[in-house]
């Protein structure tokens, strides 16, 4: 066990985590040259295209160190986005060490800070690595200073490398051997294995990636998942190199996969503890929690007959994504669709993109919203996920919105604009800290303001230099009202929003104005109204198009005229008919285009 | 149609690949109930040259560059006659109700050439005695001797591409004539022919409502029996489409249309088709035939035909480029492509034409000219009626005022 090293890599998106992982795998001969595909651990197309890691992956590698000994390295790749912070914490708790990879020219970003603190909290040894030192703009000394200022870890011995060119990567591995402590654990104790990740494989069912803390796991053992209590027969164990390789057992300190004929991903929860049914551990490993979706949106097929196809697609996606929740809902405007719950905005975008790309769905998405907690007059407390389901105001005592703590890290120059942005989003400043060249701002903010467009705005006011991380704080009472949008007198439930009273009138006006731009002219005037309760607060009109007719037609080439009409008709198919009005997909997201006051 | 028939067509396609390249699938043409009588037949003759190409024009026209004399007039006439000779078996015995020389600029051809063509038409087909024979002319290529000559040859209706009476807009449209020539040509045409159409456009680059109306007034003052007012359209594959001029906004051009229609109505011009206005009894018979889904044989470069047989309706086209057309026609191979109009397409094509007519068409015309029962269009008709775009009254099917304005929306109901 003294020659085992379990470590993961913490890095901000684009700081080169996956490239470094590739380089390490290559160096340890995990894959032959011809099998190397850029960023081998990111196996989904979307992961590779967007350069992000969605699911944790792993590689068991053998490395002959400078001291002549062979070490078994388990590299556990972690997702690099705030939406998946729980997965990050589970991955980290399976390790004894973590490499904090920082881009030597860009410096520290908020995501790395948050993950680094998670690692330190879990008692994981953090070793700083400066990547991309081959870039002309690299400034290692400054970045080392920044790591020390911002994160507060000693970076004086930070390893300098370039994952792209390979320079210094051996030093990185030597640092892993030297600094990451070997795992401790007792192979003779009752089995305790942490589920780091789980996914669904079409052939073998659920595959769990586990870190064995104590005990030994072999095929034919009867295992029990401690959170759910379900029992299964272990069929196979093994490791990823990153190719899968069957083994006869997994023992304390090792990281590998378990296949136990589990049919549903929901039974194998990330963070759960695997033990033996016959000889169970007394206590599960600490830190397990159910991940709850924070962001909700309605997903509707453009063509109503695609409802069942959408259900099938969502079911297939959720096979491999336990955090995706969905339930059928019916909108008067959009017909049958699903209210879906996501971990965050990126998760939502990824799901949407996969539905469109892998399942060829044509979707209308409503503006993202959050869960509200309502205290009703009768004392009951309920949660709603869809603004249009808000009960009559007379029945509500109090509406509580989810508050989050947002940590923002940015160069000094952008502090002003970022503060303006946060204040516009009803943020309350909690802290501001100068850390060398960077500033860390901490805000309490309503999550509903953040889910709309905060992230995009943040990137634009800081020219991409600000980064953020957030965590849920509490539900807090606020003066919230429901803003309804009516099109030709008909309330469009899919456009209802819950907003703060202070900016409700402004938002209502702006949404109506944006809708006017987005709805094409039709054969009649289209009235767009915004209302709060019975009060109409804004009215806009899309003037009727005056005519739509082909001026000349004398026999001749009829096919071109036909094509023109077919194109017009096709355009309409991509719109949703609400009453007699054709509303394009993007109009349902009009709120996202509203600038703050 | 029987399967045997289709096999025959396919076999023909193998023997003569240039004449028949596409055959509609079996399903489309399967259950034509058959035409008891073929619809009326018109003859279209395309003259593909212009002095210069206008930047808004997407018709099949080619710049002549060298002016009249140097056009391959004789060869082209020879090709047209050969083309007609080979086409006559398809329309054997059917009377030709109208002839239309379109372009391009047919007035680039000499009266002698037109005379030769018309003589051959009479020799090869039963041209009706009182057939309407129209020739398109460009005000920039007009001379008095020619007009008399065309009339002598048998032309009894002249259509002049005036476009505007305003020198500024004419220039913007890239026309070769100016305002004075426009008026002079119209006066000359009116002095020579009983029936004259003036083509005028509105919604021109930077045109004001007042200027559009001024053109309408000038046109009415000349007192032709027929007027066409077109909303300038930016067609793909034209210079205007690629570098669009600054056009009046939708509201202004819609105002123009309304005011022009009112003005023409006040002066005795009945609005009978989307863009066409006529004095009583002066509707263009040749064009009416298109809109009533009649048959037409089109000869000349790029000409389109629609021809009905007892068991099918076909469309054919000729090579677009004049040189290619002449070569092929003279080799006895003028038809470049022939296809059967599928049953699914027939309903749409009929409506696309018929609903341009303000008074619509008799309900019975559908079966007469397509061989299909109107029931096949029942769902589309009902939907369009519900949207108040279409009405059926007194045995006629016609667009409502709304349906006229939004004809494209109305026609979309008839697309599958």
């Amino acid at each position: 066990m003294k020659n085992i090293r379990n470590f993961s890599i913490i890095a901000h998106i684009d700081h080169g985590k996956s490239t470094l992982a590739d380089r390490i795998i290559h160096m340890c001969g995990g894959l032959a040259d011809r099998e190397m595909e850029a960023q081998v651990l990111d196996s989904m197309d979307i992961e590779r295209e967007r350069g992000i890691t969605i699911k944790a992956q792993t590689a068991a590698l053998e490395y002959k160190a400078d001291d002549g000994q062979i070490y078994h390295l388990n590299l556990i790749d972690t997702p690099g986005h705030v939406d998946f912070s729980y997965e990050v914490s589970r991955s980290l708790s399976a390790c004894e060490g973590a490499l904090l990879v920082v881009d030597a020219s860009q410096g520290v970003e908020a995501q790395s800070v948050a993950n680094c603190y998670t690692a330190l909290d879990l008692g994981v040894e953090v070793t700083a690595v400066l990547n991309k030192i081959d870039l002309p703009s690299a400034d290692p000394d400054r970045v080392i200073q920044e790591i020390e200022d911002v994160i507060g870890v000693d970076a004086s011995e930070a390893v300098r490398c370039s994952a792209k060119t390979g320079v210094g990567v051996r030093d990185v591995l030597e640092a892993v051997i030297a600094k990451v402590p070997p795992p401790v654990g007792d192979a003779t104790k009752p089995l305790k294995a942490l589920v780091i990740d789980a996914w669904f494989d079409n052939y073998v069912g659920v595959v769990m990636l586990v870190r064995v803390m104590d005990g030994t796991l072999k095929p034919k053992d009867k295992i029990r998942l401690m959170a759910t209590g379900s029992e299964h027969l272990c069929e196979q164990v093994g490791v990823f190199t990153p190719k899968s390789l069957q083994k006869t057992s997994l023992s304390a300190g090792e990281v590998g996969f378990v296949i136990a004929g589990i049919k549903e991903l929901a039974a194998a929860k990330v963070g759960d503890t695997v033990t033996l049914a016959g000889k169970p551990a007394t206590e599960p490993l600490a830190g397990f929690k159910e991940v709850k979706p924070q962001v909700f949106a309605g997903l509707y097929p453009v063509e109503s007959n695609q409802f069942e196809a959408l259900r099938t697609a969502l079911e297939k996606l959720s096979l491999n994504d336990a955090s995706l929740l969905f339930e059928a809902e019916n909108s008067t405007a959009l017909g049958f669709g699903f209210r879906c719950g996501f971990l965050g905005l990126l998760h939502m975008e990824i799901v949407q993109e996969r539905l469109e790309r892998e399942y060829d769905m044509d979707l209308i998405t409503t503006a993202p919203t959050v869960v509200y907690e309502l205290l009703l007059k009768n004392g009951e407390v309920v949660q709603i996920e869809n603004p249009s389901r808000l009960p009559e105001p007379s029945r509500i005592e109090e509406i509580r919105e989810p508050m989050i703590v947002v940590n923002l890290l940015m160069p000094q120059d952008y502090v002003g604009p970022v503060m303006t942005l946060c204040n516009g989003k009803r943020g309350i400043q909690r802290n501001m800290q100068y850390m060398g060249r960077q500033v860390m701002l901490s805000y309490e903010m309503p999550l509903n303001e953040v889910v709309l467009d905060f992230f995009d705005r943040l990137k634009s006011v800081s020219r991409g230099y600000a980064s953020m991380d957030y965590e849920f704080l509490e539900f807090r009472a606020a003066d919230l009202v429901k803003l309804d949008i009516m099109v030709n007198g008909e309330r469009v439930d899919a456009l209802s929003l819950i907003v703060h009273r202070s900016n409700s009138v402004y938002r209502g006006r702006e949404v109506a104005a944006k809708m006017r731009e987005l709805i094409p002219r039709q054969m009649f005037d289209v009235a767009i109204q915004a209302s709060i309760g019975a009060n109409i607060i804004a009215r806009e009109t899309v003037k009727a198009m005056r005519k739509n007719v082909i001026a000349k037609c004398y026999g001749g080439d009829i096919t071109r005229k036909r094509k023109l009409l077919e194109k017009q008709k096709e355009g309409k198919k991509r719109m949703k008919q609400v009453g007699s009005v054709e509303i394009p997909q993007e109009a349902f997201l009009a709120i996202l285009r509203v600038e703050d006051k | 149609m029987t399967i045997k028939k289709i096999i025959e067509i396919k076999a023909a396609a193998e023997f003569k690949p240039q004449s028949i390249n596409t055959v509609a699938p079996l399903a489309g043409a399967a259950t034509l109930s058959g035409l008891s009588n073929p619809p009326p037949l018109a003859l279209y003759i395309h003259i593909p040259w212009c002095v210069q190409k206008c930047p808004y024009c997407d018709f099949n026209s080619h710049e002549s560059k060298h002016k009249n004399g140097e056009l391959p007039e004789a060869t082209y006439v020879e090709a047209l006659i050969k083309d007609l000779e080979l086409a006559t078996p398809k329309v054997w015995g059917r009377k030709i109700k109208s002839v239309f020389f379109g372009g391009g600029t047919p007035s680039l051809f000499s009266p002698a050439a037109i005379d030769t063509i018309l003589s051959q038409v009479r020799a090869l087909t039963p041209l009706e005695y009182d057939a309407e024979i129209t020739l398109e002319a460009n005000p920039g290529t007009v001379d008095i001797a020619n007009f008399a000559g065309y009339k002598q040859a048998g032309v009894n209706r002249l259509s002049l591409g005036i476009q505007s009476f305003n020198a500024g807009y004419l220039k913007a449209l890239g026309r070769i004539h100016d305002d004075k020539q426009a008026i002079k040509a119209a006066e000359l045409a009116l002095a020579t022919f009983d029936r004259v159409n003036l083509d005028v456009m509105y919604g021109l680059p930077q045109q004001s409502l007042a200027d559009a109306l001024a053109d309408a007034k000038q046109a009415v003052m000349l007192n032709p029996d027929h007027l066409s007012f077109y909303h300038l359209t930016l067609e793909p594959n034209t210079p205007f489409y690629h570098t669009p001029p600054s056009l009046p906004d939708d509201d202004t051009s819609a105002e123009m249309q309304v005011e022009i229609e009112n003005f023409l109505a006040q002066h005795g011009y009945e609005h009978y088709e989307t863009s066409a206005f006529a004095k009583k009894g002066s509707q263009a018979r040749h064009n009416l035939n298109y809109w009533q889904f009649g048959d037409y044989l089109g000869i000349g470069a790029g000409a389109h035909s629609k021809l009905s047989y007892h068991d099918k309706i076909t469309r054919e086209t000729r090579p677009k480029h004049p040189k290619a057309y002449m070569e092929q026609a003279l080799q006895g191979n003028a038809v470049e492509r022939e296809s059967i109009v599928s049953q699914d397409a027939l309903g749409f094509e009929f409506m696309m034409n018929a609903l341009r007519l303000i008074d619509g068409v008799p309900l019975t015309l559908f079966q007469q000219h397509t061989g299909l029962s109107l029931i096949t269009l029942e769902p589309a008709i009902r939907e369009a009626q519900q949207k108040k775009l279409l009405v059926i009254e007194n045995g006629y099917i016609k667009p409502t005022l709304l349906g006229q304005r939004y004809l494209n929306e109305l026609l979309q109901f008839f697309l599958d």
Side-chain angles (χ1 to χ4, degrees), chain B residues 71-229:
Chain B
L71 284 177
E73 190 181 274
T75 317
Y76 194 77
V77 169
E78 201 187 324
L80 282 175
I81 291 164
K82 180 87 178 172
D83 187 356
L84 184 62
E85 269 173 9
L86 288 163
T88 43
K90 296 178 189 169
V91 293
W92 192 251
R94 293 172 63 183
K95 281 194 171 167
I96 293 194
K97 312 260 184 192
S98 61
V99 179
F100 195 101
F101 288 92
T105 308
S107 56
L108 284 179
F109 269 28
S110 66
I114 300 299
D115 185 60
T116 310
I117 297 165
L118 283 175
S119 304
Q120 287 299 318
V121 171
R122 287 191 193 89
L124 292 165
T125 70
L127 180 64
E128 248 179 30
Y129 174 70
D130 62 347
E132 175 190 276
I133 301 174
T134 309
L135 181 124
E136 281 187 328
N138 183 322
T141 64
V142 155
D143 77 55
I144 188 144
N146 279 2
F147 274 9
Y150 296 141
K151 190 177 181 185
Q152 194 71 42
V155 173
N156 53 26
R157 184 171 179 271
L158 202 82
S159 179
L160 265 182
I162 297 287
Q163 317 314 355
S164 173
F165 292 102
N166 180 309
Y169 299 124
L170 285 169
K171 210 165 171 207
L173 288 173
R175 298 295 296 187
I176 56 168
H177 65 278
D178 60 19
D179 52 333
K180 290 189 189 72
Q181 280 173 299
I183 291 176
K184 198 177 148 226
E187 284 171 348
L188 194 56
L190 285 158
T192 315
F193 296 95
D194 295 335
R195 300 186 60 199
V196 171
N197 166 59
L198 304 181
D199 276 351
V200 185
M201 292 199 288
Y202 64 93
L204 304 178
Q206 296 178 326
Q207 192 178 34
S208 64
L209 178 59
D211 283 353
L213 272 177
D215 274 350
K217 279 177 191 149
Q218 177 62 65
V220 166
M221 213 130 73
L222 288 162
N223 200 26
D225 67 325
H226 194 284
L227 285 167
S228 300
F229 272 85

Side-chain angles (χ1 to χ4, degrees), chain A residues 4 23 83 106 264 328 390 412 442 451 454 466 480 487 578:
Chain A
I4 296 179
R23 188 56 82 166
D83 285 3
Q106 287 190 37
E264 282 188 352
L390 195 72
Q412 285 179 22
S442 183
V451 299
F454 182 76
L480 300 169
V487 174
V578 176

Side-chain angles (χ1 to χ4, degrees), chain A residues 12 29 59 71 130 136 205 218 283 333 340 348 406 467 545 573 595:
Chain A
H12 188 78
Y71 286 86
L130 300 184
K218 296 186 295 296
E283 286 285 312
C340 301
M348 175 172 122
V406 182
S467 55
M545 106 179 110
K573 274 196 191 153
E595 298 281 333

Side-chain angles (χ1 to χ4, degrees), chain B residues 283-342:
Chain B
Q283 298 183 347
R285 276 184 265 155
H286 183 85
N287 293 339
L288 261 184
N289 182 61
Y290 292 130
W291 300 322
Q292 292 171 342
F293 210 56
D295 274 5
Y296 45 94
L297 173 64
I299 60 171
H304 291 247
S305 307
K306 179 213 149 221
L307 296 170
S308 304
Y309 303 87
H310 72 281
D311 57 351
K312 63 175 186 271
I313 295 174
T314 65
R315 291 191 176 277
E316 1 175 289
T317 54
R318 269 108 173 116
K320 271 189 101 163
H321 201 276
K323 201 165 162 243
Y325 168 74
M326 288 187 280
E327 277 171 21
Q328 306 237 20
L330 290 170
Q331 284 165 19
N333 233 344
V335 178
E336 184 174 63
R337 219 170 46 239
E338 179 179 1
S339 62
I340 296 175
V341 184
S342 76

Side-chain angles (χ1 to χ4, degrees), chain A residues 202-265:
Chain A
N202 284 337
Y203 298 99
V204 297
V206 172
V207 180
M208 291 184 288
L209 181 66
V210 301
R211 156 71 198 271
V212 182
M213 297 298 186
D214 283 322
T216 304
L217 175 60
K218 296 186 295 296
K220 305 267 187 322
D221 283 344
K222 191 160 195 193
I223 58 165
R224 177 186 298 161
L225 288 147
M226 296 182 79
T228 58
S230 62
E231 297 190 354
H232 307 272
L233 189 71
C234 176
E235 292 169 358
Q236 255 184 56
V237 297
V239 296
F240 293 108
T241 67
K243 290 180 289 187
S244 66
L245 186 70
Q246 279 198 50
K247 293 189 66 174
T248 52
S249 70
L250 285 178
S251 295
E254 290 187 299
V255 176
F257 65 81
V258 179
I259 295 166
I262 303 174
K263 301 279 184 297
E264 282 188 352
L265 200 54

